[in-house]
Amino acid sequence: MPQSPARTGPARRRVLVVDDEPRIVRALVINLRARDYEVDTAADGATALRTAAAHRPDAVILDLGLPDMDGVDVLHELRRTSRVPVLVLSARQTSGEKVKALDAGADDYVTKPFGMDELLARLRAAVRRSEPVAAAEETVLVETEEFTVDLAAKRVNRGGRDIRLTPTEWHLLEVLVRSPGRLVGQKQLLQEVWGPSYGTETNYLRVYMAQLRRKLEADPSHPRHFITEPGMGYRFEP
């Protein structure tokens, strides 16, 4: 009797863990593998960049205090060529440090000590934000005088060239352009982009809205399309 073809499931997600604390790396590796992730590790920035280039992970968990270079510099290097979701895991807890990491392209920021369940939930949310739109989903094209947003292809074009956005920048843009002319509240934006446990981290919105304006507005200091409603939220005007 002929054998049935072997069943193949969806490809396993690959995560790169970048941290020089063996105890934390060991805990992350055990928990990630238990949830069916493939895991690579790196104890310094140079190794992290080489590993990311060689294995193209689906997400990166990145400590900022590395022995050879600052994690923010690793972020800058990653963002030159990749939109991979990056979850910063750091003992640095000041608002300035968080904003600096987010401004460099991080998708989320978790402080040490951390709860494993929360970190894994944030990791899942970051990966989910980066997933491509299903083929069956309706193609939606949003056009302005300065740029065009293709929601199905997850592409933004300005002046004839594609604009590189991080997964979080893209998700924020997507929420806004799907509701043209309508005020989207701060809490709604935070929860749709970062997850249901968010609601007060308005500094995240300020950082990412500034980045979208720099990349897409003709005059970022006098935005035409991404309008702030002080104390309330943001509005996209085509």
Side-chain angles (χ1 to χ4, degrees):
M1 178 182 296
Q3 293 185 338
S4 301
R7 295 177 60 186
T8 58
R12 297 170 65 191
R13 297 289 187 183
R14 180 181 291 272
V15 177
L16 171 59
V17 175
V18 186
D19 200 305
D20 63 340
E21 297 185 53
R23 178 180 58 84
I24 289 179
V25 172
R26 184 165 56 251
L28 285 169
V29 168
I30 290 171
N31 279 275
L32 287 166
R33 286 180 176 164
R35 289 160 177 82
D36 211 29
Y37 290 95
E38 293 184 6
V39 187
D40 297 308
T41 65
D44 57 67
T47 303
L49 292 171
R50 288 196 302 270
T51 304
H55 296 290
R56 298 192 176 278
D58 297 293
V60 177
I61 298 175
L62 174 67
D63 181 28
L64 296 183
L66 300 173
D68 60 337
M69 60 195 298
D70 194 274
V72 172
D73 295 326
V74 175
L75 259 172
H76 281 300
E77 287 299 315
L78 281 172
R79 286 290 173 252
R80 290 176 59 186
T81 58
S82 174
R83 291 178 54 188
V84 62
V86 178
L87 179 65
V88 165
L89 179 61
S90 176
R92 302 176 189 174
Q93 300 187 15
T94 67
S95 177
E97 291 287 355
K98 293 180 181 180
V99 170
K100 185 178 178 183
L102 293 168
D103 205 18
D107 293 274
D108 204 347
Y109 195 111
V110 176
T111 54
K112 298 177 180 178
F114 61 94
M116 186 63 69
D117 287 343
E118 178 188 358
L119 182 140
L120 293 172
R122 294 195 184 191
L123 175 66
R124 289 193 297 272
V127 171
R128 189 168 57 248
R129 291 195 294 268
S130 70
E131 290 175 343
V133 176
E137 189 167 313
E138 180 185 1
T139 299
V140 178
L141 199 65
V142 178
E143 296 182 284
T144 73
E145 293 180 359
E146 281 83 25
F147 58 88
T148 301
V149 182
D150 187 333
L151 290 167
K154 287 198 171 187
R155 293 178 60 186
V156 182
N157 187 281
R158 180 183 179 192
R161 67 183 184 90
D162 287 340
I163 302 299
R164 186 184 299 275
L165 300 180
T166 69
T168 300
E169 289 170 352
W170 169 261
H171 200 51
L172 181 59
L173 173 67
E174 183 179 28
V175 172
L176 289 169
V177 302
R178 286 189 183 277
S179 302
R182 184 173 70 84
L183 172 67
V184 183
Q186 294 175 337
K187 185 175 181 179
Q188 179 185 344
L189 274 172
L190 285 166
Q191 292 183 343
E192 288 203 36
V193 176
W194 280 273
S197 63
Y198 291 79
T200 61
E201 295 84 352
T202 54
N203 59 312
Y204 282 29
L205 295 174
R206 288 194 296 271
V207 168
Y208 278 95
M209 288 304 300
Q211 291 175 184
L212 282 179
R213 287 167 176 153
R214 283 198 298 270
K215 292 182 177 183
L216 300 179
E217 293 275 11
D219 183 357
S221 61
H222 298 88
R224 160 71 179 81
H225 302 289
F226 301 104
I227 310 301
T228 300
E229 299 289 352
M232 295 186 293
Y234 298 87
R235 180 165 40 86
F236 169 68
E237 292 290 352

